[in-house]
Amino acid sequence: MTLVDTDAQALEQTVAAIRAQLPSAKVTHFVANVTDKALAEAAVRQAVEMHRTLDILVNNAAMRNYSPASEATLEEWQTMTAVNLFGAANYCRVALPQLRLSGSGSIVNISSCYAVTGRKGMGLYDATKAAQLALTRTLAHEEASHGIRVNAVCPGATLTDFQLAKAKAGGKSVEQLMSERQDTSLLRRWATVEEVAYPVLWLASGEASFMTGTTVMVDGGLHIM
């Protein structure tokens, strides 16, 4: 496994956490902005050098913007698109030659439930996440002949470290945070990170060998509310 992120400290902590649970895990990390073509190529080379093959790509990098769509500047749109859409496309492009060699490669793009449902105040984020779903379907068509499956997962409200840190910075307790998602899913709660990770693992695995071009909603039912 090769992890890519812009935050070197977070990467080191994640690698340490994985090795603490799985001492024999072959895991490394690579510091890069996903928009950088040369660094994307270097990250793929590092992964292949360590594992001799590349079978799975998960595109999970994202950034947020809270400007209303009616007020967002061109620069804001370009920044969001560069990370949320081009970042995923960049890693797909550089990884595809290796994924084709595996004969059974799998790409999982992490989109968002709001790519489907929409909301106020995060139009840039939601639009770029919707574009990821279009990219997923297109790649599924283009890469099927190479044995590569391409799917997307759309998480709902997930209780991540990001959300906990954001709440703490805003002076909210964990209890207050937990009470804020009563109306954003039929299950009336946040998802745990594990509840989002399991569908990703399944789509990446051979157990989902007849799944491609699919959008899996992991949102507690928000998309039908």
Side-chain angles (χ1 to χ4, degrees), residues 180-199:
E180 292 179 351
R181 293 294 180 170
Q182 298 297 306
D183 60 351
T184 57
S185 80
L186 293 177
L187 302 180
R188 298 177 62 79
R189 64 175 177 82
W190 293 80
T192 67
V193 292
E194 290 81 5
E195 287 173 316
V196 176
Y198 290 144

Side-chain angles (χ1 to χ4, degrees), residues 45 52 58 70 80 85 95 112-113 141 148 200 216:
R45 283 197 301 272
R52 298 185 181 180
V58 177
S70 60
M80 288 292 293
L85 179 57
S112 167
C113 63
H141 277 285
I148 298 172
V200 176
V216 177

Side-chain angles (χ1 to χ4, degrees), residues 58-69:
V58 177
N59 287 308
N60 190 40
M63 68 173 295
R64 292 169 176 250
N65 181 292
Y66 300 96
S67 296

Side-chain angles (χ1 to χ4, degrees), residues 3 10-11 35 73 85 108 120 126 128 171 188-189 207:
L3 306 175
L11 281 171
T35 66
T73 66
L85 179 57
V108 183
K120 294 180 180 179
D126 297 347
T128 53
R188 298 177 62 79
R189 64 175 177 82
E207 293 183 359

Side-chain angles (χ1 to χ4, degrees), residues 8-171:
Q9 183 177 1
L11 281 171
E12 291 172 0
Q13 291 173 346
T14 302
V15 169
I18 293 171
R19 287 175 175 163
Q21 294 190 42
L22 298 169
S24 62
K26 293 179 65 177
V27 56
T28 187
H29 64 280
F30 195 93
V31 179
N33 186 312
V34 294
T35 66
D36 191 306
K37 173 180 176 289
L39 291 180
E41 292 172 342
V44 168
R45 283 197 301 272
Q46 179 173 296
V48 174
E49 287 171 2
M50 169 170 275
H51 303 288
R52 298 185 181 180
T53 183
L54 181 63
D55 304 296
I56 299 165
L57 170 66
V58 177
N59 287 308
N60 190 40
M63 68 173 295
R64 292 169 176 250
N65 181 292
Y66 300 96
S67 296
S70 60
E71 300 175 10
T73 66
L74 176 60
E75 290 73 21
E76 287 178 298
W77 276 105
Q78 290 172 331
T79 300
M80 288 292 293
T81 304
V83 175
N84 291 2
L85 179 57
F86 177 69
N90 190 30
Y91 271 76
C92 287
R93 186 188 61 80
V94 299
L96 278 170
Q98 292 297 328
L99 291 169
R100 289 170 179 171
L101 289 176
S102 80
S104 58
S106 176
I107 297 174
V108 183
N109 294 318
I110 310 302
S111 179
S112 167
C113 63
Y114 292 106
V116 175
T117 62
R119 57 184 160 172
K120 294 180 180 179
M122 289 190 69
L124 282 68
Y125 179 88
D126 297 347
T128 53
K129 286 298 184 177
Q132 282 187 346
L133 300 184
L135 175 65
T136 297
R137 292 188 293 269
T138 297
L139 284 174
H141 277 285
E142 293 180 351
E143 297 302 321
S145 62
H146 298 286
I148 298 172
R149 298 179 299 106
V150 190
N151 294 287
V153 168
C154 287
T158 307
L159 197 60
T160 62
D161 289 343
F162 170 84
Q163 297 290 355
L164 291 170
K166 182 180 175 183
K168 183 178 179 180

